[in-house]
Amino acid sequence: MTNTERIINQFNSDEPILVEDIIRMFPNRSRQWVDKMLKTMVDTKTLKRYSTGVYYIPRNTIFGDSLLDSDRVVSKKYIESNGKVYGYVSGTALLNSLGLTTQVPNMITVVTNNEKSRGRKVKIGKQEVYLIKSPTEITEKNCAVLQLLEAVKLVDLNDLDETESQNLENYIRKKKITLNDVSKYCVFFPDVVSRKILGGKLIGKLAQ
């Protein structure tokens, strides 16, 4: 099997392929060798280059080659891949997903292990993304409680209507978040988050 065939067999069509993925496939090869191979695959139209360091295997459609979904690129680079979680959506997009707002954000905010700055804006395709360094390592086990604390930081719990409050309680119950979980990770958030939880009715939902 050729190196090109190995790559084609490793990934699905329209799946973001990061240059780091290819480097891991060929650990004994240099970065220069990997870059040259990827360029050859792009030149022969085996791969398409989406952006710096991001490639994909296109499908043929009646409109030409398929286009890569920017949300999938954001997810793989900064949120999760192959069952490993290293980031989560925050900001208005998080509140929207939890049913705490109907606003649709123009820019997605992502808290991730794969960012070293306190905040910077990048563009993935046509999607603007604001990246924030995580205050603690994000994993599959703590992602849900960290998102809950982010949501509490962003909203006034007393201003939530009945439906919004129920949506938040449903999330806590679905993710099985306990008071112990919250206590463990509150230290990574502003003090106001702890005060909101300890001084409101949400604490009773966490203790159940």
Side-chain angles (χ1 to χ4, degrees):
M1 183 182 296
T2 66
N3 293 327
T4 296
E5 289 171 337
R6 283 185 62 188
I7 294 173
I8 296 299
N9 289 335
Q10 180 72 23
F11 301 97
N12 298 317
S13 298
D14 297 337
E15 174 186 355
I17 303 171
L18 307 184
V19 67
E20 293 83 0
D21 297 331
I22 308 303
I23 290 172
R24 282 191 291 270
M25 288 180 66
F26 303 97
N28 296 323
R29 296 288 190 170
S30 67
R31 173 62 185 267
Q32 183 178 12
W33 181 90
V34 169
D35 288 341
K36 184 176 180 180
M37 181 181 64
L38 289 172
K39 183 180 185 306
T40 298
M41 293 182 71
V42 170
D43 290 344
T44 58
K45 299 184 177 181
T46 307
L47 286 182
K48 282 192 75 95
R49 182 179 180 275
Y50 177 79
S51 63
T52 302
V54 182
Y55 302 82
Y56 70 105
I57 303 168
R59 291 178 295 106
N60 291 322
T61 74
I62 59 174
F63 303 106
D65 288 340
S66 59
L67 300 177
L68 189 57
D69 185 346
S70 61
D71 288 342
R72 295 189 68 182
V73 179
V74 172
S75 181
K76 183 162 187 180
K77 289 189 74 171
Y78 303 112
I79 300 176
E80 64 178 324
S81 179
N82 297 322
K84 183 178 181 181
V85 177
Y86 37 85
Y88 56 81
V89 172
S90 182
T92 304
L94 170 61
L95 299 183
N96 185 283
S97 69
L98 295 178
L100 304 183
T101 184
T102 56
Q103 293 182 11
V104 179
N106 293 323
M107 181 168 60
I108 304 298
T109 300
V110 176
V111 181
T112 175
N113 298 339
N114 295 342
E115 176 57 37
K116 296 181 179 179
S117 73
R118 293 185 177 181
R120 69 183 178 104
K121 186 188 299 184
V122 299
K123 199 160 188 179
I124 307 293
K126 296 182 179 180
Q127 177 64 63
E128 288 191 331
V129 183
Y130 190 71
L131 301 174
I132 302 173
K133 176 185 177 181
S134 175
T136 185
E137 184 180 7
I138 300 168
T139 67
E140 182 181 7
K141 292 183 178 180
N142 67 17
C143 182
V145 65
L146 291 174
Q147 283 193 292
L148 172 65
L149 294 171
E150 285 280 357
V152 171
K153 181 178 71 174
L154 295 169
V155 300
D156 186 335
L157 296 177
N158 295 322
D159 285 346
L160 299 181
D161 62 30
E162 185 176 346
T163 299
E164 292 166 343
S165 294
Q166 189 60 56
N167 289 338
L168 192 58
E169 292 170 15
N170 289 342
Y171 177 80
I172 291 170
R173 185 164 52 251
K174 179 181 178 182
K175 299 297 184 179
K176 301 178 180 179
I177 300 173
T178 67
L179 184 58
N180 183 59
D181 295 328
V182 168
S183 299
K184 181 178 179 180
Y185 290 101
C186 261
V187 295
F188 300 106
F189 289 81
D191 291 343
V192 66
V193 174
S194 299
R195 292 198 296 269
K196 285 182 180 181
I197 294 174
L198 294 175
K201 62 182 180 180
L202 197 62
I203 189 172
K205 304 302 177 181
L206 293 164
Q208 293 176 3

